[in-house]
Amino acid sequence: MMTMTPFYTRMKYLVFNPLRANLLNVLILALPLLGFVSLTMGQGCTSTIIGLVLQLMSCQPAVAAFAAELPSESCCAALTELGQPCLCMLINGPPIAGLDRSLALQLPAKCAANFDPCSIAP
């Protein structure tokens, strides 16, 4: 009979409780799966999905599905530094728990960034 270790119990709680899933938890769980493969998709962004998530971690409260807040100054600075191609790559990339794509599309306007709009791929 297998006993559950505290680590296993915690990971099971994070994975199977959608209310607790956030960008950091997804990043920790997805790191071995995604590796360091760059998914540029021909849009001019040279960051990896993992790099984008890390750089935009301060934007999480502004793109959380049920508790969206205004983006912070650090979020807007990170968004401006990354640029429109990287934001579009993140929005059209693999699903990320805790990321509301429609709220992420609104970030440039809320941050007064002069980006062309992204379109969500089907």
Side-chain angles (χ1 to χ4, degrees):
M1 182 158 128
M2 183 178 150
T3 60
M4 292 177 34
T5 65
F7 175 77
Y8 176 78
T9 304
R10 178 74 177 143
M11 293 310 289
K12 182 178 171 185
Y13 176 74
L14 290 174
V15 172
F16 295 112
N17 187 342
L19 297 176
R20 295 287 181 194
N22 63 33
L23 290 176
L24 183 59
N25 293 334
V26 170
L27 177 66
I28 291 168
L29 295 173
L31 187 59
L33 299 175
L34 294 177
F36 293 99
V37 176
S38 178
L39 300 175
T40 59
M41 298 178 4
Q43 295 183 351
C45 181
T46 58
S47 294
T48 63
I49 294 291
I50 293 170
L52 293 175
V53 171
L54 284 174
Q55 287 179 285
L56 293 173
M57 191 64 69
S58 61
C59 295
Q60 195 221 353
V63 297
F66 297 106
E69 301 173 6
L70 290 175
S72 65
E73 288 183 29
S74 61
C75 169
C76 291
L79 180 69
T80 304
E81 183 180 326
L82 285 173
Q84 185 259 3
C86 290
L87 177 64
C88 293
M89 186 176 95
L90 185 65
I91 289 171
N92 289 309
I96 299 173
L99 172 70
D100 183 317
R101 291 174 191 240
S102 63
L103 290 173
L105 284 169
Q106 297 171 16
L107 279 178
K110 291 179 180 179
C111 288
N114 191 17
F115 291 170
D116 290 332
C118 297
S119 59
I120 297 179

